[in-house]
Amino acid sequence: WGMDEQGNAAVTQIVYLATPLPDTQWSALSWSTRGQFIGAVLLAVLMGGLAGVLLAKRISRPIEQLVLAAQSVGKGKLDETVPADQAITELAVLGGAFNDMTTNLRHSDQAKIAFISDVTHELRTPLTVLKGTIETLQDAALDDHQAQETFLASMSHETERLIRLVNELLLLTRADAGALNLH
């Protein structure tokens, strides 16, 4: 530093020092450095591959369980469930949705069985009455006109009941198929 003509501080001289950068070519590295570099790259590749395999197994195992459970459900085994893996959010959601689906299928199947049982009972009653009335008419009541009219009225009533039950079943079937037009 120095002073200029007005007495202000100013730079009067600059010293410039330069050194060449070290050679960074592969050939400039020592054999031990080259070995360490290659070893570090190989170790990183191996560790990355191992981590990839472990992660893939962690993800694929719950998916394989889900596939097997879905195949069981497809064969009619509705009590299948899968563990909801909490470590991976998407797998937890998928497992929960699958379990909810199988629960709903079980409830639907139970409701179907109960419905079929109820329908069978409801249809059996008028059919039994009709069969008994026809047998009675065949056995002895063909000649008794008053009994005939009573039996025919009973048969007519039970036939109407059967028709109403069948129409209600058709209505339920249309509603279930989405073909029911309500006004």
Side-chain angles (χ1 to χ4, degrees), residues 1-60:
W1 290 93
M3 297 289 207
D4 65 6
E5 296 166 5
Q6 283 90 21
N8 296 326
V11 176
T12 57
Q13 295 179 358
I14 295 178
V15 176
Y16 178 71
L17 295 174
T19 59
L21 292 174
D23 188 7
T24 57
Q25 297 292 325
W26 180 255
S27 60
L29 296 176
S30 68
W31 285 104
S32 65
T33 304
R34 288 180 195 179
Q36 289 174 351
F37 181 74
I38 291 172
V41 168
L42 288 176
L43 182 63
V45 167
L46 286 174
M47 289 179 64
L50 180 62
V53 167
L54 292 175
L55 183 61
K57 284 188 181 221
R58 181 176 171 95
I59 291 172
S60 67

Side-chain angles (χ1 to χ4, degrees), residues 163-178:
I163 290 170
R164 188 177 67 252
L165 285 171
V166 169
N167 285 337
E168 289 174 359
L169 285 173
L170 286 173
L171 183 69
L172 284 173
T173 302
R174 286 186 192 129
D176 192 43

Side-chain angles (χ1 to χ4, degrees), residues 2 31 34 37 55 58 67 73 91 94-95 102 105 148 170:
W31 285 104
R34 288 180 195 179
F37 181 74
L55 183 61
R58 181 176 171 95
V67 167
V73 169
L91 291 177
L94 185 61
T102 56
L105 284 173
Q148 256 184 353
L170 286 173

Side-chain angles (χ1 to χ4, degrees), residues 69-92:
Q71 289 171 341
S72 288
V73 169
K75 292 176 183 174
K77 189 176 178 190
L78 300 179
D79 59 342
E80 283 292 325
T81 58
V82 293
D85 186 357
Q86 299 298 324
I88 301 172
T89 304
E90 291 81 4
L91 291 177

